[in-house]
Amino acid sequence: MIANQIRGHQLILEMLDRSLSRSRLPHALLFVGDAGIGKKRVAQHLAQCLFCQQTPVDQLVCCNECNSCKQMAAGTHPDLISVECPPDKAVLPLSLIIGKDEQRGREGICYEMSLRPMLGDRRIAIIDDADKMNAESANALLKTLEEPSANYLMILIANELDAILPTIRSRCQSIRFGHLSDDDVAELLIEQQLVDFDDRATQVARLAEGSLSTARQLLDESLEELRVNITRQLIKKPFQPQVFAQSVIQAIDDIGGETATQRKTAKWIIKFCADFYHQAIQYAANYDLESHSEQIRQFVAGFSDEAEERIEKIGNLLDRMILTEEQISQNATITLCIESLSEDLRKIQKS
Ligand SMILES: [Zn+2]
């Protein structure tokens, strides 16, 4: 893996590089930040740079050509131990930390980290989903963390810092990761061939809130279909509040699932609407005229000719949408939220 494949996080890379050059890299790091922003990628890059046989160990660089680098690329490096929570489990299994019942103490991260390096001069563990460890796992891991040795590095990765036991936290150096920029997400979508066109990548990235995994969710066909349908309702002239409310509520019902899933769908719908209005404002303000869709043009054309007035109206629509997003996040009843939203959207457009 080469550093230019890592998007964003430049300051973190520089900080790691400085720690290496001063030989001050702690024996345990805790990478914290939202899902899908590249924490694991940085952890793997750090490991590869430390393992690389061709580059100095006091710099965050790797050659991508030596035996170690090739094994890292293939995921077969014998000194890297990587664990994560299986997708069907809510808790990181204890067996990954200290081995299965019959193999207790003879496998798992703690055992692996007590072994001598096989290829290079250290062993490195990457524990993804560290915030999904229960107290038993955390306490088992603590023992290993309490006996730091020069030839090991542990990198814990977590979305939520609060979910990590304070005893673990205090033994790791925490590094907080920020979101990716929209451009980084768009470029990653193209690079990883998840999206074919720049326009689509930009559109998805805008909604992804700096997270590649959120962007991936957005590529789901049913969500995209939903976005298209909802946009169709938004541009109707005159706006029809009942039809809008019904189709939103129906869409949430269709996607189904538990209340939490329905709330998530509702949030997506509101996000789609807010994004639509946001683009409409930009277009109405004569900003970036080329990149807007025919639907946006049509929608804006339906307002007064007076630029200031139409920007104000669309701004009010956007504000109303943001208020709904807040209400839904605060667990308000979805149906009521949507119904009152629809009526207000009508009033704003008619005023
Ligand atoms: Zn190398």
Short mmCIF file of all heavy atoms in Angstrom, two decimals, residues 52-54 62-66 69, ligand 1:
data_model
loop_
_atom_site.label_atom_id
_atom_site.label_comp_id
_atom_site.label_asym_id
_atom_site.label_seq_id
_atom_site.Cartn_x
_atom_site.Cartn_y
_atom_site.Cartn_z
N CYS A 52 8.55 -2.92 6.47
CA CYS A 52 9.27 -2.85 5.18
C CYS A 52 10.78 -3.08 5.38
O CYS A 52 11.40 -2.50 6.27
CB CYS A 52 9.03 -1.51 4.50
SG CYS A 52 9.92 -1.38 2.93
N GLN A 53 11.32 -3.92 4.55
CA GLN A 53 12.73 -4.29 4.70
C GLN A 53 13.68 -3.36 3.95
O GLN A 53 14.90 -3.44 4.09
CB GLN A 53 12.94 -5.73 4.20
CG GLN A 53 12.19 -6.73 5.07
CD GLN A 53 11.86 -8.03 4.34
OE1 GLN A 53 11.71 -8.05 3.13
NE2 GLN A 53 11.75 -9.12 5.09
N GLN A 54 13.12 -2.49 3.13
CA GLN A 54 13.95 -1.63 2.29
C GLN A 54 14.02 -0.18 2.75
O GLN A 54 14.86 0.57 2.27
CB GLN A 54 13.40 -1.62 0.85
CG GLN A 54 13.37 -2.96 0.17
CD GLN A 54 14.77 -3.42 -0.23
OE1 GLN A 54 15.70 -2.62 -0.30
NE2 GLN A 54 14.93 -4.70 -0.46
N CYS A 62 7.31 3.08 2.80
CA CYS A 62 7.53 1.66 2.48
C CYS A 62 7.81 1.55 0.99
O CYS A 62 7.50 2.46 0.23
CB CYS A 62 6.32 0.83 2.89
SG CYS A 62 4.78 1.42 2.21
N CYS A 63 8.39 0.41 0.59
CA CYS A 63 8.84 0.29 -0.80
C CYS A 63 7.82 -0.36 -1.72
O CYS A 63 7.87 -0.19 -2.92
CB CYS A 63 10.17 -0.47 -0.84
SG CYS A 63 9.95 -2.25 -0.57
N ASN A 64 6.89 -1.11 -1.14
CA ASN A 64 5.89 -1.86 -1.92
C ASN A 64 6.49 -2.99 -2.75
O ASN A 64 5.81 -3.57 -3.58
CB ASN A 64 5.09 -0.94 -2.87
CG ASN A 64 4.10 -0.10 -2.10
OD1 ASN A 64 3.33 -0.64 -1.31
ND2 ASN A 64 4.13 1.19 -2.30
N GLU A 65 7.76 -3.25 -2.57
CA GLU A 65 8.39 -4.27 -3.42
C GLU A 65 9.05 -5.41 -2.66
O GLU A 65 9.17 -6.51 -3.18
CB GLU A 65 9.43 -3.59 -4.32
CG GLU A 65 8.76 -2.97 -5.53
CD GLU A 65 9.65 -1.99 -6.25
OE1 GLU A 65 10.88 -1.99 -6.00
OE2 GLU A 65 9.09 -1.24 -7.07
N CYS A 66 9.46 -5.13 -1.44
CA CYS A 66 10.18 -6.18 -0.69
C CYS A 66 9.21 -7.30 -0.30
O CYS A 66 7.99 -7.16 -0.43
CB CYS A 66 10.85 -5.59 0.54
SG CYS A 66 9.68 -5.06 1.78
N CYS A 69 6.55 -6.12 2.20
CA CYS A 69 5.50 -5.29 1.59
C CYS A 69 4.54 -6.15 0.78
O CYS A 69 3.33 -5.95 0.81
CB CYS A 69 6.11 -4.20 0.71
SG CYS A 69 6.75 -2.81 1.66
ZN ZN B 1 9.03 -2.86 1.48
#
